[in-house]
Amino acid sequence: ENGMRLADVRLTGGDAPADVDRVLAALAAHDPRPNASIQALAEAYPDPPNWSMSALEPFTSAKKWSGMSFRDDATDADMGNWLIGAPDVLLDPDSETATVAADLGIQGLRVLLLAHTDVAVDTLVPADAVAPGTVTPSALVVLEQRVRPDARDTLEYFAGQRVQVKVISGDNAASVGAVAASLGL
């Protein structure tokens, strides 16, 4: 089915859950071109805080993350510089958080990392860096693919008709494989 749903948010750092929830709501509300992952966040967090976006770095498939810097409209306080994207790009591959993210992906879940950085998200990224500034993980955002209730029956029908089914996706291969396996492919 076209779309994702929020399954879990796992804190990785010292951020309070309310802070992470508010950041996720703000990211979803301010994204000018929300993809399926961001749409799932918007559905899960329909009441964003009264923050304005002071900097934007849009998502691209090349870098695999997006970011926003926020200010609180009521107090004019800095609400931080936030990144959301692929854990395998933003994390040290040897970190415990990267291991947890990979384990969740193997189960067929889409996992995004929510992290904050010490500089505005639109700061020029040096050639040897993945993201601007020092990236500090805050949470793993776990999404699950919505699967149509009749998906297995449809695939069984195709198999009975000797139609070979191929799955083409830009998502994490282990996640896609797990979803396909859950449908009998």
Side-chain angles (χ1 to χ4, degrees), residues 130-147:
V130 173
T134 301
V135 176
T136 304
S138 293
L140 290 174
V141 179
V142 183
L143 304 166
E144 59 187 2
Q145 181 68 47
R146 293 181 180 183
V147 177

Side-chain angles (χ1 to χ4, degrees), residues 3 6 18 35 38 40 44 47 52 54 56 78 95 107-108 111 113 121 136 139 145 150 165 170 173 176 184:
L6 181 66
N35 59 22
I38 299 299
D47 300 314
S52 59
S54 57
L56 169 68
D78 178 12
S95 70
Q107 297 173 36
V111 183
L113 176 71
V121 298
T136 304
Q145 181 68 47
D150 62 346
V165 176
V176 172

Side-chain angles (χ1 to χ4, degrees), residues 61-183:
S61 56
K63 70 177 184 286
K64 297 185 180 181
W65 59 267
S66 64
M68 295 181 198
S69 298
F70 294 110
R71 295 202 68 74
D72 186 316
D73 290 341
T75 64
D76 199 37
D78 178 12
M79 300 311 293
N81 309 297
W82 296 91
L83 306 174
I84 189 163
D88 58 320
V89 170
L90 294 169
L91 287 171
D92 172 351
D94 295 326
S95 70
E96 180 181 337
T97 303
T99 301
V100 171
D103 290 346
L104 289 166
I106 290 169
Q107 297 173 36
L109 300 165
R110 180 178 294 177
V111 183
L112 301 174
L113 176 71
L114 175 67
H116 53 91
T117 182
D118 57 340
V119 297
V121 298
D122 59 353
T123 301
L124 184 62
V125 178
D128 62 342
V130 173
T134 301
V135 176
T136 304
S138 293
L140 290 174
V141 179
V142 183
L143 304 166
E144 59 187 2
Q145 181 68 47
R146 293 181 180 183
V147 177
R148 293 175 191 224
D150 62 346
R152 184 182 292 271
D153 294 340
T154 301
L155 293 173
E156 288 173 358
Y157 171 80
F158 283 139
Q161 299 298 308
R162 297 186 184 156
V163 173
Q164 190 175 24
V165 176
K166 304 273 184 185
V167 177
I168 301 171
S169 176
D171 290 337
N172 178 286
S175 297
V176 172
V179 172
S182 75
L183 296 173

